[in-house]
Amino acid sequence: MRIALLGPPGCGKGTQGEIVCKDLAIPHISSGDLLRQAVQSGNELGRAAKDYMDRGQLVPDELVIGLIKERVAQQDCKAGFVLDGFPRNREQAEKLDGGLVGEGLDRVVAIEVSEPALVARLGGRRTCRGCGHLYHVSWNPPKVEGRCDACGAEIYTRDDDREDTVRERLEVYRKRTEPLMDFYQGMGLLRRVDGEAAPAEVSKRVFAALAVRND
Ligand SMILES: [Zn+2]
């Protein structure tokens, strides 16, 4: 099954992607990972991508889609894959669809979480300066306030996790993703999943949306 997972920052998409991949024994494909690997390998696409990154520019969609096409053509993708982090907008989805002719996506699962819940999740996140361990002020606070349990270093709020930044990120996500949802809805591929529950419960909903068993 060829699956794309959509969802705002903080919706738990990464966790759910891992669970789906493990359960269905299919690879997890992230555009960020593909780009890093291509650059490391130094192949033609990788060198082209590196040129853009070195100049501080966005890597063009065509190039990223080229990498995705190359990746999904590999043997381990025969039974399917989970695409994570791409497409991000309707334009990319249209290009991707054209690029995956005959082997397009089977399902697009959107994990939906309300803005207040996302702000609570992301805005409460704290990061250790020493080892990068993540905490949450409500659900997973450190034993000693402001200090990492693992290494004792200071815990801080990353710029990305400040409430105003979180709201901005969500707004950007909403604006560019709504047309993307319409696109996949029109193709009959979109399934919306309520992501406001414990990860195990959300997994059940994701598998129900994929209409595959998970036991
Ligand atoms: Zn630490």
Side-chain angles (χ1 to χ4, degrees):
M1 187 178 287
R2 299 184 172 90
I3 303 159
L5 272 185
L6 307 180
C11 75
K13 186 159 57 80
T15 306
Q16 296 303 327
E18 275 174 32
I19 293 170
V20 170
C21 286
K22 204 168 164 226
D23 194 84
L24 300 181
I26 53 179
H28 178 261
I29 300 179
S30 122
S31 52
D33 288 347
L34 283 182
L35 275 170
R36 274 189 292 277
Q37 284 160 9
V39 168
Q40 268 173 13
S41 80
N43 65 18
E44 198 182 325
L45 283 173
R47 288 198 306 272
K50 187 170 185 299
D51 279 346
Y52 287 100
M53 291 154 103
D54 285 347
R55 291 198 298 261
Q57 294 171 346
L58 275 180
V59 178
D61 292 346
E62 282 76 9
L63 216 156
V64 179
I65 289 166
L67 289 172
I68 292 173
K69 278 173 70 176
E70 229 177 55
R71 180 67 188 87
V72 304
Q74 286 169 19
Q75 191 64 27
D76 64 339
C77 289
K78 273 212 157 26
F81 52 81
V82 172
L83 201 52
D84 182 355
F86 197 92
R88 286 188 206 279
N89 57 48
R90 179 166 183 151
E91 215 182 349
Q92 290 179 343
E94 286 172 357
K95 287 179 189 163
L96 178 69
D97 190 54
L100 293 177
V101 173
E103 47 184 60
L105 296 170
D106 299 310
R107 276 281 187 278
V108 176
V109 176
I111 301 176
E112 301 191 311
V113 177
S114 72
E115 181 164 326
L118 289 171
V119 170
R121 284 187 191 182
L122 295 172
R125 208 157 67 168
R126 300 291 180 267
T127 308
C128 170
R129 273 192 207 283
C131 67
H133 192 87
L134 290 176
Y135 295 88
H136 192 282
V137 288
S138 313
W139 311 310
N140 177 30
K143 292 191 182 77
V144 179
E145 201 187 327
R147 291 285 152 196
C148 177
D149 295 347
C151 75
E154 185 201 1
I155 285 163
Y156 76 113
T157 309
R158 280 180 15 175
D159 281 346
D160 264 5
D161 298 332
R162 306 184 79 87
E163 189 176 324
D164 50 341
T165 319
V166 168
R167 288 191 191 279
E168 265 172 46
R169 286 165 70 198
L170 294 177
E171 176 65 14
V172 168
Y173 172 83
R174 205 173 54 77
K175 270 194 187 147
R176 71 183 181 192
T177 308
E178 268 167 16
L180 179 62
M181 302 271 198
D182 292 345
F183 176 73
Y184 284 128
Q185 180 88 54
M187 293 172 78
L189 298 180
L190 185 71
R191 299 290 182 275
R192 295 172 189 271
V193 166
D194 178 355
E196 284 189 47
E201 174 57 30
V202 177
S203 289
K204 281 187 193 157
R205 297 173 187 172
V206 169
F207 281 102
L210 295 171
V212 293
R213 292 178 53 157
N214 168 33
D215 51 25

